Amino acid sequence: MQLRYCFRLYPSTGQRMALARAFGCARVVFNDALRARETTRGAGLPFISSGELSKQLTSAKKTRERAWLAEVSSVVLQQSLRDLDAAYKNFFDSLKGKRPRMGPPRFKSRKDTRQSVRFTANAGWKITPGGKIRLPKVGDISVKWSRTLPSAPSTVTVVKDSAGRYFASFVIETSPGPLPGTEAVIGIDLGLTHFAILSDGTKIDSPRFLRRAEKKLKKAQQDLSRKTKGSKNRDKARIKVARAHARTGDARREFHHQLSTKIIRENQAVAVEDLAVRGLARTRLAKSVHDAGWSAFITMLEYKAALYGRTFHRIGRFEPTSQTCSACGIKDGPKPLNVREWTCRSCGAVLDRDVNAAVNIAKAAGLAVSACGARVRPGLVPAQRGETGTRPKPQPVTTGRQTGISAF
């Protein structure tokens, strides 16, 4: 399995200028190649091959208008052409139904907040003995190594995000091996009040990173709106807004990674529900749905289960998990969202709505989960006529003023 490893880069001022030059040259080559293909398509001519585009690039370097393309590594420019080929391939595959629908390649802008260039082994880049990354025509860049790479990488992608941060991204083939086996299985019901409810009764609160950061984001956005368009101060304010959003996204991503790793380590099989996130994102709950990040979390569970030898199940979204009693299996009908606890009319069990749904998700995936984890309370059974019992003692009637609590 291929995994991506990202590490923070700290280029100097001169290295930032060299990377900006590489970003710009790669963007121009991409746009020139796209324009050439669109022109031939409009004229009804055959599709220009990658080899022909590479020849045109070599010829363009010898002209006065494009002579500055020789200031960066030629591998960066060739990889930009490969990116265009990949964009066309994805577009054509989407038309054939091989992947989700996506639009044709679009022209890149220098105002795009995310810029990237890729260096392959042909470029001669390497990791120095001092732990820096040596890039051709850029120099040795300091790296914050947060962990050890499982194998030697052959390709590195340098990315500049909207917050002005630089990252080195490596895609490496790895196979760490399965984790020790366990008998535990789990069903997960995702929500907004609680981010995840497990079939064993565990409820994990939703951190609500965006909601907690809204005050700071609002202040930063207001400062940005007051700056003159095109000014240096507006660019500085834009970076502050981008950094605030980046911190929120990083915190959410870290929470997803920690929780997904914990669940995969402790359970042999995991079952989740296939949620219609796009549909929910068009409702009044859109901000909370995006803040939760369910899709990213489910994706992490899926690839980590495949990586560590666990079993991952995704059940259909139309399973009546909230309507079925996990104790007796009787479908009790739909219930509004404000009903968080209900009593089964068949067996009398008192069920927590979310935990009951998590148990049903596990059962729908074929996992042997006991309904005891759903916090099921047996219904009240009337005493027999001849059975003795105790009567509750009468409680004195007190007013709100006497108990020290306001009566209003």
Side-chain angles (χ1 to χ4, degrees), residues 49-70:
S49 63
S50 301
E52 181 62 27
L53 289 176
S54 181
K55 292 179 181 179
Q56 293 182 9
L57 173 60
T58 303
S59 302
K61 289 183 180 180
K62 301 177 182 179
T63 63
R64 179 179 298 180
E65 294 79 6
R66 292 289 187 265
W68 40 267
L69 292 176

Side-chain angles (χ1 to χ4, degrees), residues 34-177:
L34 178 57
R35 186 177 296 106
R37 282 183 170 173
E38 290 298 311
T39 302
T40 56
R41 184 186 65 84
L45 299 177
F47 189 79
I48 302 179
S49 63
S50 301
E52 181 62 27
L53 289 176
S54 181
K55 292 179 181 179
Q56 293 182 9
L57 173 60
T58 303
S59 302
K61 289 183 180 180
K62 301 177 182 179
T63 63
R64 179 179 298 180
E65 294 79 6
R66 292 289 187 265
W68 40 267
L69 292 176
E71 298 178 2
V72 302
S73 173
S74 60
V75 174
V76 170
L77 308 182
Q78 293 294 333
Q79 290 302 311
S80 186
L81 297 180
R82 303 296 177 272
D83 292 339
L84 179 61
D85 290 338
Y88 269 108
K89 183 179 183 302
N90 293 336
F91 171 60
F92 294 144
D93 287 345
S94 68
L95 296 180
K96 299 175 184 178
K98 296 181 180 180
R99 59 176 298 140
R101 189 66 182 269
M102 61 183 305
R106 66 172 184 84
F107 291 98
K108 294 184 178 181
S109 171
R110 63 182 181 86
K111 296 183 180 179
D112 290 342
T113 57
R114 186 183 185 277
Q115 306 282 345
S116 66
V117 290
R118 185 166 58 255
F119 297 86
T120 62
N122 296 335
W125 75 275
K126 65 177 182 178
I127 300 176
T128 64
K132 295 185 178 182
I133 294 182
R134 180 170 297 170
L135 300 178
K137 298 188 179 181
V138 177
D140 296 352
I141 304 179
S142 300
V143 188
K144 180 67 174 180
W145 299 103
S146 56
R147 52 182 170 174
T148 305
L149 292 174
S151 60
S154 60
T155 303
V156 59
T157 303
V158 179
V159 180
K160 179 185 178 183
D161 66 0
S162 58
R165 304 178 300 178
Y166 293 82
F167 295 91
S169 176
F170 305 93
V171 178
I172 300 177
E173 188 73 28
T174 179
S175 53

Side-chain angles (χ1 to χ4, degrees), residues 9 35 76-77 86 90 121 132 162 179 206 241 245 252 262 292 298 302 326 353 357 379 403 405:
L9 295 179
R35 186 177 296 106
V76 170
L77 308 182
N90 293 336
K132 295 185 178 182
S162 58
L179 292 171
S206 179
V241 174
H245 280 287
R252 183 187 299 110
K262 181 176 183 296
I298 293 175
E302 187 171 8
S326 58
R353 180 193 184 104
T403 57
I405 303 176

Side-chain angles (χ1 to χ4, degrees), residues 3-25:
L3 292 181
R4 183 179 300 277
Y5 293 80
C6 289
F7 302 92
R8 183 76 180 270
L9 295 179
Y10 294 92
S12 62
T13 303
Q15 292 170 347
R16 288 173 184 265
M17 296 177 62
L19 288 174
R21 189 181 302 113
F23 293 146
C25 291

